[in-house]
Amino acid sequence: MIVTAKVNGVVNWISPLLEDGSYFQTGELLMTLDPLNNTTPLNFTLIKAPFNGVVKERNVDVGQYV
């Protein structure tokens, strides 16, 4: 499965858990975004793991627009 954001924004922090081969647990914070729209609910800018898993490949870096 692929984890995606609910809103658009710029990645401002990525967890050390998001390295290829790393394990993560449901609810762990994986990254945060600076939203493009100031009316975006803060909880939408916190990207948390929706399930337990292993990072196969990370396709995002700090500063990228998602």
Side-chain angles (χ1 to χ4, degrees):
M1 295 188 90
I2 297 173
V3 177
T4 60
K6 292 182 180 180
V7 297
N8 296 332
V10 177
V11 177
N12 63 9
W13 178 81
I14 296 177
S15 169
L17 296 172
L18 278 184
E19 295 297 327
D20 294 356
S22 292
Y23 293 88
F24 57 85
Q25 300 289 319
T26 301
E28 289 184 310
L29 184 60
L30 301 177
M31 72 178 70
T32 60
L33 304 178
D34 279 332
L36 299 182
N37 180 343
N38 289 335
T39 62
T40 299
L42 182 59
N43 63 326
F44 282 16
T45 66
L46 305 175
I47 312 305
K48 296 182 179 182
F51 46 78
N52 295 340
V54 177
V55 178
K56 181 177 178 184
E57 181 179 10
R58 184 178 94 184
N59 293 314
V60 66
D61 287 307
V62 171
Q64 269 188 303
Y65 172 79
V66 294

